[in-house]
Amino acid sequence: MMKTPRILVTGFSPFLGEKINPSEILLEWLKKDFAFQSKVETLLLPVSFAAAASLLESRIAQTSYDYIFMLGQAGGRSKINLERVALNWIETEKPDEDGVTPLQGPIVSGKESALFSTLLVSKFKDQLQEKQLPIAVSLSAGGYVCNYVYYKTLLWLRENKRKSQACFIHVPFLPEQVLDKPDMPSMDLETMKKVLEEILQIALN
Ligand code: PCA
């Protein structure tokens, strides 16, 4: 019998004045109500350049995961996005929740400009699209905390010769977040749960 894969799903707390972060709500759901909750570990990260990546690194240094799915909110997107690449670059005018706005520049000087997801991104996208689920591949996770955590994690996995399949997944705003934002796309929680459930099912099988 095949051994059950070890799966870690991370999410973020709210940031930049939002009251909620859909990725945190999805983590809560995974912990409480997801049918295979015993097979999935979760980790909530602060929206902090200084703290988020090192928290995740200390978790993955302790435990070898087969899959690492990092969730985050990407306001303005209308589908769930599988991020294909992490850039070795910070570019933001917005501070993180520690009030820090890092200068524009590389995340780790002297390392690769970009690292690709170690997940079979197209396989996941195709299988989800076959089920008519709202999924797309994205080629930029942005220049803020999510991309930072993604790059640092992919780099750490590579440098420590870990075989984890890791991917960052950006989710849109929830409908209640866009009430005061005209023309901003959103996605209801049930659809997000369906997509995440499907992703985890593919990983578990
Ligand atoms: N989204 C931000 C950081 C935390 C989150 O949920 C981003 O896309 O960088």
Side-chain angles (χ1 to χ4, degrees), residues 123-189:
K123 170 185 135 176
F124 277 76
K125 183 204 69 178
D126 291 347
Q127 292 199 22
L128 290 155
Q129 279 184 342
E130 268 167 33
K131 303 212 159 165
Q132 321 293 331
L133 292 168
I135 190 91
V137 170
S138 158
L139 296 176
S140 172
Y144 189 56
V145 177
C146 290
N147 176 72
Y148 182 89
V149 168
Y150 194 16
Y151 185 85
K152 294 272 274 187
T153 301
L154 289 177
L155 186 66
W156 190 92
L157 289 170
R158 234 210 23 200
E159 297 197 329
N160 290 278
K161 302 200 170 29
R162 294 293 184 86
K163 296 268 181 281
S164 315
Q165 296 196 44
C167 189
F168 202 98
I169 303 173
H170 263 131
V171 303
F173 280 133
L174 285 165
E176 57 264 47
Q177 294 180 278
V178 301
L179 295 174
D180 57 349
K181 302 180 186 77
D183 303 323
M184 188 65 88
S186 67
M187 182 182 284
D188 62 275
L189 186 60

Side-chain angles (χ1 to χ4, degrees), residues 66-83:
D66 298 290
Y67 291 91
I68 302 166
F69 296 109
M70 293 156 270
L71 307 180
Q73 160 195 309
R77 308 227 183 151
S78 56
K79 290 183 176 168
I80 293 193
N81 284 183
L82 300 171
E83 299 290 353

